[in-house]
């Protein structure tokens, strides 16, 4: 499946190689080489100059051949540039997958304080008022969180 192009990779030798226009939008072209990667020899990304959001990404196999591509759909939601869809394609196997948000909203960052996410507070996270803003009403607790 093409979906596993998303894992976070530790990159080395990352640099801007130029600029291009992607779908009418000026974009920087960045190339990076993953550190000790079993899958990719390099990753090329196109990043919108206006929003700094990813537009496209190409992944190359260990032999240097194009292996996978990823196209990003972006939009501004509540004033925040956001990725709202990923279109993943494995060029070598012809497998594809898609990830798409069906709803996205940003709440006031002040409603979720950093100390709320401290490890000692995780057992109380479900009781925080923040969840009333982001979860639909229910007749019971939607989930239970416990500290490890």
């Amino acid at each position: 499946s093409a979906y596993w192009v998303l894992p976070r990779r530790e990159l080395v030798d990352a640099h801007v190689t130029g600029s291009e226009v992607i779908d009418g939008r000026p974009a920087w072209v960045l190339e990076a080489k993953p550190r000790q990667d079993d899958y990719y020899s390099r990753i090329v990304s196109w990043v919108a100059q206006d929003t700094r959001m990813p537009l496209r990404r190409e992944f190359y196999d260990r032999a240097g051949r194009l292996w996978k591509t990823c196209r990003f759909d972006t939009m501004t939601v509540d004033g925040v540039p956001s990725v709202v869809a990923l279109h993943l394609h494995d060029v070598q196997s012809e497998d594809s997958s898609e990830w798409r948000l069906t709803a996205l909203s940003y709440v006031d960052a002040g409603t979720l304080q950093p100390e709320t996410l401290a490890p000692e507070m995780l057992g109380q996270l479900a009781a925080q008022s923040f969840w009333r803003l982001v979860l639909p009403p229910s007749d019971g607790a939607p989930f239970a969180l416990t500290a490890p």
Side-chain angles (χ1 to χ4, degrees):
S1 174
Y3 73 88
W4 59 277
V5 303
L6 297 176
R8 182 177 174 186
R9 304 271 180 213
E10 186 176 344
L11 303 174
V12 295
D13 190 26
H15 57 279
V16 175
T17 61
S19 61
E20 295 180 15
V21 176
I22 303 294
D23 297 328
R25 298 177 71 185
W28 291 298
V29 182
L30 295 91
E31 184 170 331
K33 295 183 180 176
R35 181 189 308 258
Q36 298 177 316
D37 198 307
D38 295 331
Y39 302 109
Y40 309 121
S41 62
R42 70 185 176 113
I43 300 170
V44 180
S45 300
W46 287 259
V47 177
Q49 293 179 12
D50 58 349
T51 62
R52 313 285 198 273
M53 298 300 296
L55 298 174
R56 191 168 79 193
R57 189 165 290 149
E58 292 179 347
F59 299 84
Y60 291 81
D61 66 16
R62 298 300 300 162
R65 297 176 308 229
L66 178 61
W67 184 6
K68 299 178 181 186
T69 63
C70 182
R71 184 174 48 83
F72 300 85
D73 292 346
T74 63
M75 66 185 306
T76 299
V77 177
D78 297 332
V80 179
S82 306
V83 172
V84 295
L86 300 170
H87 308 276
L88 308 163
H89 180 70
D90 185 318
V91 174
Q92 295 178 13
S93 73
E94 291 299 320
D95 189 19
S96 293
S97 56
E98 183 175 280
W99 170 88
R100 181 174 300 279
L101 285 176
T102 56
L104 177 62
S105 178
Y106 293 97
V107 296
D108 179 9
T111 61
L112 182 61
Q113 300 300 319
E115 59 271 11
T116 302
L117 299 176
E120 61 273 11
M121 295 298 293
L122 290 179
Q124 301 168 24
L125 190 57
Q128 295 293 320
S129 62
F130 168 79
W131 295 111
R132 288 193 301 270
L133 300 172
V134 297
L135 293 175
S138 68
D139 53 1
F143 55 87
L145 294 175
T146 58

